[in-house]
Amino acid sequence: MGELSEKTLEILKEKGALRESLIQERLKDNRARCGVCQRLCVISSGGSGYCKTVVNIEGTLYTTIYGVISSAAADPIEKKPVFHYKPGSLCYSVGSLGCSFRCVFCQNWQIAYADGLSADGICRYGVSAETLVAAAKRTGCEGVAWTYNEPAIWLNYTLDCAKLAKESGLYTVYVTNGSATEAHIDMIAPYLDVYRVDIKSMSDDFYRKLIKLPSSKGIRDMAIRALNKGMHIECVTNVIPGWNDSEHNLRETARWIADNLGGGTPWHVTRFFPYAKLADVPPTPMHTLERAAQIGREEGLKFVYLGNVVTAEGENTYCPTCGNLMIKRAGFDASIVGVTPEGRCKYDGAELGIVM
């Protein structure tokens, strides 16, 4: 089996982690093209994809992480960060192994870089959709999020879980780098409520050097597609000194979000901390984040938030028309002050785009 030993294959089968991939194209000579993420890996028999969670067995692709959970927690939805969908609710958050990116500054590299072919026992295996939804309800969560590593490589599992979650009255969230394909978005869309996507930079050079991805266009295209499919969208830009913190890049990013996703789309500009291969880069200065927020507003964004920092007002929601406080946030605690059950300002009736 090449990269995947027969012994490991049997273990994965026994644990229920091996499932035939939902989006693939079979090619000549027992090769196959994976269509789950935008890398579109062509994998030879016995080989694996870039994410190390897809393997070719005699011409057919299989995911190796079905029901494989590396991390699970009942998190505030604000931790994703998602501020305009069910604010103040708990969201059962799970992650697995692997990623479609190789960000040199990854904060979760222990699982994102992990080999999904190893079956090495660091995860819980065999966590069915029923078990996941039951855990969400038992812990008082109103929703389920696929996060910590990249959900775009986890489609077999996220789709089954999302279907059951929706049937059970729970909302659903992707915390994603945006690398799903059109076919993936279309398949998950009827069951996915929130698409929280990273817009790391408008520069392809940034993506090539720090993420090993040739272009960022597909990420933006899929964000538009998710919006058109009816998902709630929120964007995050982790501002890295010397890499994506120029006024030009921040202004381009804010303008793109406003023009393509709408001025009411929340934009979270978050503080970078030295990590991994960017350990020599200093934390983002506060004045850079504050300037980014100002730029966002100048470019037509009504809701810009500061993240990974402690501020008195940077995470609060204010009505863009009357200026009154709508939601007060301290850490991950959210207090609803001025939002009606319909998601409007209780003072002037302005539509806020908040799902309560």
Side-chain angles (χ1 to χ4, degrees):
M1 275 302 301
E3 294 182 31
L4 189 66
S5 71
E6 291 292 343
K7 181 179 179 181
T8 299
L9 179 59
E10 287 303 317
I11 293 172
L12 290 170
K13 283 182 179 178
E14 290 172 4
K15 292 183 174 183
L18 206 64
R19 296 290 177 93
E20 186 172 333
S21 182
L22 292 173
I23 309 175
Q24 60 180 291
E25 179 187 1
R26 292 173 178 82
L27 306 173
K28 294 179 180 179
D29 303 320
N30 272 349
R31 297 178 304 145
R33 178 180 288 108
C34 180
V36 172
C37 97
Q38 293 171 27
R39 289 196 180 273
L40 300 174
C41 293
V42 175
I43 308 169
S44 298
S45 184
S48 65
Y50 185 90
C51 64
K52 295 292 185 182
T53 69
V54 176
V55 65
N56 182 327
I57 302 174
E58 298 178 353
T60 298
L61 299 183
Y62 293 82
T63 177
T64 65
I65 55 171
Y66 189 92
V68 178
I69 305 293
S70 65
S71 310
D75 283 337
I77 186 66
E78 285 76 18
K79 195 173 182 179
K80 301 305 98 187
V82 171
F83 281 10
H84 285 208
Y85 198 95
K86 300 292 184 179
S89 68
L90 286 178
C91 184
Y92 197 70
S93 303
V94 294
S96 188
L97 300 174
C99 189
S100 51
F101 284 2
R102 286 294 181 270
C103 302
V104 300
F105 50 88
C106 181
Q107 300 287 311
N108 289 333
W109 66 268
Q110 293 92 338
I111 60 172
Y113 284 21
D115 188 344
L117 312 179
S118 63
D120 60 7
I122 67 171
C123 298
R124 287 180 60 198
Y125 285 79
V127 181
S128 67
E130 290 78 10
T131 299
L132 182 69
V133 168
K137 290 190 167 185
R138 186 175 62 251
T139 53
C141 293
E142 295 181 39
V144 175
W146 296 277
T147 178
Y148 306 135
N149 75 311
E150 178 47 49
I153 64 171
W154 211 9
L155 176 61
N156 283 68
Y157 189 63
T158 63
L159 182 61
D160 283 352
C161 293
K163 287 179 178 178
L164 186 59
K166 295 300 293 177
E167 290 174 7
S168 304
L170 301 175
Y171 65 80
T172 53
V173 183
Y174 259 18
V175 177
T176 179
N177 61 27
S179 63
T181 58
E182 289 186 5
H184 183 144
I185 293 292
D186 293 352
M187 191 174 289
I188 194 76
Y191 315 101
L192 192 61
D193 295 308
V194 181
Y195 191 79
R196 211 292 287 137
V197 61
D198 294 340
I199 306 294
K200 299 177 187 294
S201 176
M202 297 299 287
S203 165
D204 284 346
D205 191 54
F206 175 98
Y207 276 85
R208 282 193 293 267
K209 290 181 177 178
L210 297 188
I211 298 171
K212 317 305 180 190
L213 190 75
S215 172
S216 59
K217 182 178 184 299
I219 293 163
R220 297 192 295 274
D221 288 347
M222 290 309 101
I224 295 172
R225 195 176 191 87
L227 176 68
N228 290 338
K229 292 288 182 178
M231 297 180 210
H232 172 84
I233 312 291
E234 301 201 16
C235 300
V236 171
T237 302
N238 189 227
V239 182
I240 306 175
W243 285 99
N244 63 350
D245 62 337
S246 70
E247 176 150 342
H248 174 74
N249 183 68
L250 292 170
R251 196 169 291 282
E252 272 199 328
T253 304
R255 186 181 304 130
W256 183 88
I257 294 171
D259 289 349
N260 293 276
L261 303 178
T265 305
W267 186 33
H268 305 262
V269 288
T270 62
R271 192 179 200 187
F272 167 83
F273 287 98
Y275 207 73
K277 293 182 180 179
L278 291 189
D280 59 336
V281 176
T284 318
M286 271 301 300
H287 66 80
T288 300
L289 295 180
E290 290 166 350
R291 178 57 180 151
Q294 181 181 352
I295 288 170
R297 290 187 286 268
E298 290 172 357
E299 293 299 330
L301 291 176
K302 300 174 183 178
F303 305 101
V304 186
Y305 299 105
L306 307 186
N308 294 344
V309 292
V310 178
T311 64
E313 299 178 344
E315 293 187 314
N316 291 345
T317 299
Y318 296 91
C319 176
T321 56
C322 72
N324 281 305
L325 179 64
M326 299 289 100
I327 303 175
K328 182 174 179 57
R329 297 185 180 87
F332 298 122
D333 293 328
S335 300
I336 312 300
V337 177
V339 187
T340 70
E342 297 75 32
R344 294 180 174 274
C345 172
K346 74 176 185 181
Y347 301 105
D348 66 5
E351 173 59 57
L352 302 171
I354 298 176
V355 178
M356 299 297 290

